[in-house]
Amino acid sequence: MRERISWMPTGLKEEGYRQIRTAGTVKEALEEAAAFRPELAILDVMLPDGDGFVLFEKLKKMGDYPVLFLTARGEDEDKFKGLGLGADDYMVKPFLPKELILRVGVILKRSYKNEDPLVRLAGSQIDFGRAEVVKEGEHISLTAKEFELLSALYRNAGRIVTIDALCEAAWGDNPYGYENSLMAHIRRIREKIEKDPSHPASLVTVKGLGYKLMVEGK
């Protein structure tokens, strides 16, 4: 976690991973998971206010995503307990940063290999594999920022994504001051995905909080 593996967010970012959240306690981790639905959780067994096994069980009630356990103890009992709960992998510290990055890549590929990149909305479809929208037979390309925003919204389909989280998804670690740019991008996205952009059915504004993407079948 934050105090123990300070290189981890930097190392993952250098490999192209974005939207990384850190937490030093069970309480902080649960708050982060509630505000931002993760695609992968890396949990330390030893935490100041509990342990990773308890946190794992609570996180699994909030969403279904892969989990990698870290621990400073090499005891088989801990390994069997974590894997028995349903964890996807287990690493004993110390280890090389590259090893963790490789494990993360394998877990993500294994967990999301069957994910359908074609997302159906009320009046169109998003093809994430081609970075385009298909509407009424027309193929409309997405810009890089539009793609990042729609990806963040799709990862949290049906749930509110805050303005800050969307700005961070598109503009990185220093997202402040981009609210107006975000609104302009949202308008352009609606023009591409909505039948009637003035009355959006798929990309909905939640006043004072953010936006959510309504996906058919979810």
Side-chain angles (χ1 to χ4, degrees):
M1 305 305 279
R2 185 162 46 210
E3 294 86 358
R4 298 175 176 80
I5 313 177
S6 59
W7 59 264
M8 188 167 68
T10 301
L12 290 170
K13 286 179 180 178
E14 288 174 352
E15 293 296 319
Y17 293 100
R18 303 182 65 184
Q19 295 296 298
I20 300 170
R21 300 293 196 274
T22 60
T25 65
V26 171
K27 182 176 182 294
E28 290 177 7
L30 291 172
E31 290 173 350
E32 289 288 353
F36 179 81
R37 182 182 177 185
E39 293 181 340
L40 168 72
I42 301 174
L43 307 182
D44 200 321
V45 171
M46 301 296 289
L47 296 170
D49 58 341
D51 65 55
F53 302 129
V54 173
L55 175 57
F56 174 89
E57 292 177 326
K58 291 182 178 180
L59 289 175
K60 280 297 185 179
K61 292 178 181 178
M62 300 169 64
D64 186 19
Y65 40 81
V67 172
L68 167 64
F69 269 115
L70 307 179
T71 181
R73 300 176 296 183
E75 300 174 5
D76 287 341
E77 182 181 347
D78 280 345
K79 179 177 180 179
F80 294 145
K81 184 174 181 180
L83 296 176
L85 288 172
D88 294 79
D89 207 345
Y90 195 99
M91 295 183 67
V92 177
K93 296 181 285 185
F95 49 77
L96 295 174
K98 187 64 176 178
E99 182 182 358
L100 176 66
I101 291 167
L102 289 172
R103 296 268 194 114
V104 167
V106 169
I107 292 171
L108 289 173
K109 287 178 182 177
R110 183 173 66 228
S111 300
Y112 297 103
K113 63 181 179 180
N114 294 321
E115 189 172 80
D116 185 0
L118 193 64
V119 179
R120 292 171 175 77
L121 307 178
S124 63
Q125 297 177 332
I126 305 171
D127 189 338
F128 282 104
R130 296 177 179 274
E132 65 182 21
V133 173
V134 182
K135 183 170 69 172
E136 297 176 349
E138 182 182 3
H139 292 252
I140 308 166
S141 296
L142 294 168
T143 67
K145 288 288 187 290
E146 291 166 355
F147 182 87
E148 294 287 355
L149 291 169
L150 280 170
S151 295
L153 287 159
Y154 176 58
R155 286 195 297 270
N156 296 275
R159 299 174 58 184
I160 299 169
V161 183
T162 65
I163 291 171
D164 286 347
L166 287 171
C167 287
E168 186 173 340
W171 289 282
D173 292 338
N174 187 22
Y176 302 104
Y178 287 100
E179 289 85 355
N180 289 336
S181 294
L182 174 64
M183 291 175 64
H185 280 82
I186 292 294
R187 283 197 299 271
R188 286 194 287 272
I189 289 172
R190 282 175 170 159
E191 289 172 358
K192 293 181 178 183
I193 68 172
E194 302 282 1
K195 285 184 177 180
D196 183 358
S198 299
H199 299 88
S202 298
L203 181 46
V204 179
T205 301
V206 182
K207 191 173 182 180
L209 294 176
Y211 302 88
K212 60 182 177 179
L213 187 68
M214 307 307 294
V215 175
E216 290 191 352
K218 282 200 174 186

